[in-house]
Amino acid sequence: MIQPEQESAGPAITPRTRARARHILDHYFVGPARDERVLEIWGYTGRYSYRPGETVGLQVSTTAETWSLEVGRDGADYVPVLRAENLPGRHQDTPLDCSVNGCGWDISHSFVIPDDWAAGAYLITLRADRADDAVEEHHVIFVRRAAHADPAPMVLVCATGTWLAYNCWGGSSAYEGITGPDCNAFSPVLSNQRPWTRGFCKLPQGAPRALTERPTDPGGMVRYPYMEWAYAYGYSKKYASAGWASYERHFARWAEAEGYNFEIVTQHDLELEPDLLAGHRCAVFVGHDEYWTAAMRERVERFTENGGRVARFAGNFLWQTRLENNAQTQVCYKYTAKEADPLMGSDQEHLLTGAWDAPPVNRPGAQTFGVNGLKGVYAGLGNCVGQGSGGFTVYRPDHWSLDGARLGYGDQLGATSRIFGYEVDGVDFTFDDGLPYPTGRDGTAGSVEIIALGMATNVEADFAHWGETLYIGTADAEFKALTMHGELTAETLDKSSRGNGAVIYWEKGNGEVFCAGTCEWVAGLTRRDSQVEIITRNVLDRFCR
Ligand SMILES: [Fe+2]
């Protein structure tokens, strides 16, 4: 259990505390300054999505006397739809355990979603001004759901489970935090009743992506440009790992500009509405979708079995979560699940919040999307395949998804636009006559066709460069060795070190799955890589027919 009295205030990115993080790899987080002298404004909405006619209640805390807001539809173009000025400011108390139990702020302002706002994602900009010309902004994203009747052919499901896991606002995420003996332990319980961290909803154009823009220089020091940028500009250390601004937004803007008719929903909607996918022809997942509940998976699998088409341009399918407390709390014990998850030893052990592929869950990730996170992981992050091409190697150029892309056997797909990384999903495969085939050892169906592959690793290469600090190291490989092989030895560590990322196609039940198992596919769309765009169109056009 989290003991709030054990928490330290921690090194938040505020004038008071930012100096405490001495290094870009140290834990620091975005959060309240807890100081009236610091100009700040933060806010959140009670839910991630709303239908027309519903009221959005904005919970805002600011040290400014007045604040303003603008709501705009964040589609192919940004279109403002609502402004409010001179709203009375109030500095609300924020509990130290807000990451776990929520901020509990009062509603400061609300508005009703009118029928004439088009379905899609909406960006709320909160602005606090002060007489000395200081201005502070904070951003909130929400989804305006489509009306029930006449569903669009395509539905984009935002990876809100992963957004929430990486949200460090207030101190704790599923990675690092402010509890435990060293005040740095991750939190297995996270509340969505708190602001998004800086950079999840809006980013400046050109903010570095997690995948480096070019292969690392073999003689140079390892670099993590996105973390360097975040540290320098006061953004979340995790801004490039998850969130609307880094991933789903790029796909939504591209798809809207291309003329696709689609709706946007969230994983939380998928949890709360069992039949959400029915009626759509194609469900799309993009970016980094690492955290799923059993119910979300079941709904995607049932959709596919019943003839639905799934297009996934995303990576890192790894952890089972549980949503509790009316879906306001996400639980994921991850590495500590066997010791700490209260379901261990109960008749609900299959819902343990550990890795899908590990006991006692034993529900291979590959059964949903044809690939899985434990067979994949890092590429293009620091010294993890730091000198890789940034693309996939093509093995089956005659597959329909590659029609018109002018790709031959052995060609690199997406290397110039850097689509391969920073986390990828792979498949256990073997080669025969120059072609990869799934072995099935990881639960991948034999009918899965491997179209393209790239290499990934769980162990960051250490070239003993003086002055270098590695980010990934061997921690992930050690977890995989313990979970999948039961013991940590040199041999099991070695067995757990290698991975890959795959583009696959799978006829599943009455439906179809196309999966490009990489977080960075969207970079190929924003950077207008014609081959990535052609493949994306081939998949969506066929799946939406
Ligand atoms: Fe991840």
Side-chain angles (χ1 to χ4, degrees):
M1 272 309 289
I2 305 302
Q3 300 296 331
E5 62 271 18
Q6 291 173 357
E7 296 187 348
S8 73
I13 310 184
T14 66
R16 180 168 61 87
T17 57
R18 89 177 281 141
R20 289 196 215 165
R22 299 284 177 83
H23 189 284
I24 60 155
L25 300 183
D26 287 348
H27 172 51
Y28 61 87
F29 60 89
V30 174
R34 305 181 193 283
D35 184 340
E36 293 279 349
R37 293 166 299 179
V38 177
L39 178 66
E40 64 177 1
I41 185 161
W42 307 106
Y44 59 95
T45 54
R47 284 161 36 199
Y48 294 155
S49 73
Y50 296 88
R51 292 187 186 277
E54 290 187 322
T55 300
V56 180
L58 256 176
Q59 283 128 288
V60 174
S61 173
T62 179
T63 46
E65 277 182 25
T66 60
W67 58 284
S68 65
L69 81 92
E70 178 176 292
V71 182
R73 186 172 179 279
D74 201 16
D77 299 304
Y78 172 79
V79 182
V81 294
L82 177 73
R83 286 198 182 93
E85 310 269 346
N86 277 317
L87 300 164
R90 186 178 145 213
H91 195 192
Q92 308 209 41
D93 282 340
T94 308
L96 279 176
D97 63 354
C98 63
S99 308
V100 180
N101 292 319
C103 288
W105 294 343
D106 292 333
I107 289 178
S108 319
H109 184 74
S110 41
F111 57 90
V112 177
I113 310 242
D115 290 340
D116 62 355
W117 288 10
Y122 283 76
L123 183 73
I124 306 176
T125 302
L126 308 173
R127 265 177 82 99
D129 301 80
R130 212 167 49 185
D132 59 5
D133 292 336
V135 179
E136 193 60 33
E137 276 191 14
H138 178 66
H139 302 98
V140 186
I141 199 84
F142 72 91
V143 169
R144 188 284 208 192
R145 298 282 305 277
H148 286 281
D150 198 19
M154 185 164 109
V155 60
L156 169 65
V157 184
C158 295
T160 43
T162 302
W163 298 6
L164 181 48
Y166 279 89
N167 184 23
C168 67
W169 198 95
S172 294
S173 69
Y175 295 84
E176 294 158 325
I178 53 176
T179 57
D182 300 321
C183 294
N184 62 0
F186 83 95
S187 177
V189 179
L190 294 168
S191 171
N192 72 359
Q193 300 300 299
R194 57 182 169 134
W196 289 117
T197 190
R198 199 176 276 142
F200 270 31
C201 301
K202 184 175 181 176
L203 281 170
Q205 188 148 7
R209 299 191 65 77
L211 188 69
T212 52
E213 285 179 25
R214 59 191 66 82
T216 54
D217 166 8
M221 178 190 169
V222 69
R223 298 282 300 272
Y224 307 92
Y226 79 97
M227 281 192 272
E228 295 170 20
W229 184 87
Y231 186 82
Y233 286 91
Y235 279 75
S236 167
K237 185 180 164 186
K238 303 292 190 193
Y239 85 86
S241 293
W244 169 255
S246 279
Y247 293 106
E248 283 86 348
R249 176 174 190 262
H250 296 307
F251 177 84
R253 284 165 55 86
W254 177 87
E256 192 164 301
E258 290 284 312
Y260 287 101
N261 177 10
F262 65 102
E263 293 173 18
I264 302 179
V265 300
T266 71
Q267 274 186 321
H268 281 66
D269 298 319
L270 185 58
E271 172 85 4
L272 297 168
E273 299 169 38
D275 297 320
L276 180 143
L277 297 177
H280 299 287
R281 285 174 216 154
C282 173
V284 179
F285 305 89
V286 302
H288 192 173
D289 65 344
E290 179 175 352
Y291 295 82
W292 291 69
T293 67
M296 294 170 190
R297 268 192 82 173
E298 272 150 32
R299 280 151 202 180
V300 173
E301 288 175 7
R302 179 157 48 90
F303 173 69
T304 319
E305 292 293 333
N306 291 340
R309 277 74 171 264
V310 170
R312 179 170 179 263
F313 310 101
N316 204 215
F317 192 79
L318 185 55
W319 302 109
Q320 170 159 249
T321 64
R322 292 193 301 273
L323 295 188
E324 297 177 351
N325 189 20
N326 282 327
Q328 292 188 348
T329 304
Q330 177 166 288
V331 179
C332 193
Y333 283 86
K334 301 176 73 174
Y335 308 101
T336 65
K338 277 190 182 167
E339 295 76 45
D341 190 329
L343 292 195
M344 190 67 190
S346 76
D347 61 356
Q348 299 290 299
E349 266 186 5
H350 61 286
L351 296 176
L352 199 82
T353 55
W356 290 112
D357 291 76
V361 180
N362 294 323
R363 187 175 172 196
Q367 290 173 357
T368 303
F369 292 118
V371 294
N372 75 84
L374 277 185
K375 273 288 160 206
V377 105
Y378 305 106
L381 178 67
N383 282 346
C384 294
V385 199
Q387 296 166 67
S389 76
F392 289 93
T393 303
V394 172
Y395 287 94
R396 287 190 167 81
D398 296 331
H399 191 264
W400 59 260
S401 60
L402 273 53
D403 282 353
R406 294 173 179 260
L407 283 162
Y409 180 85
D411 279 344
Q412 291 294 301
L413 161 64
T416 50
S417 58
R418 308 284 293 166
I419 65 168
F420 188 76
Y422 77 102
E423 294 179 356
V424 295
D425 283 341
V427 58
D428 196 69
F429 66 87
T430 183
F431 274 116
D432 184 28
D433 192 23
L435 288 174
Y437 295 89
T439 64
R441 284 196 292 253
D442 57 351
T444 306
S447 52
V448 165
E449 285 179 75
I450 301 171
I451 301 164
L453 280 173
M455 290 159 80
T457 183
N458 278 298
V459 173
E460 189 160 21
D462 186 349
F463 305 120
H465 192 103
W466 181 86
E468 192 168 78
T469 308
L470 298 176
Y471 178 48
I472 296 299
T474 57
D476 290 69
E478 287 170 18
F479 165 74
K480 190 173 158 186
L482 275 170
T483 335
M484 303 309 286
H485 303 286
E487 54 175 352
L488 180 58
T489 65
E491 190 192 346
T492 61
L493 190 67
D494 177 67
K495 273 187 184 172
S496 307
S497 62
R498 290 171 290 278
N500 65 85
V503 179
I504 65 97
Y505 170 72
W506 183 18
E507 286 181 17
K508 184 173 191 284
N510 293 316
E512 294 173 275
V513 176
F514 176 92
C515 179
T518 177
C519 295
E520 286 293 305
W521 186 270
V522 294
L525 304 178
T526 52
R527 291 169 178 159
R528 307 304 316 232
D529 182 326
S530 63
Q531 292 173 316
V532 176
E533 291 190 285
I534 286 167
I535 293 167
T536 311
R537 285 189 207 106
N538 286 345
V539 172
L540 298 181
D541 290 349
R542 174 185 170 109
F543 283 8
C544 291
R545 251 198 321 257

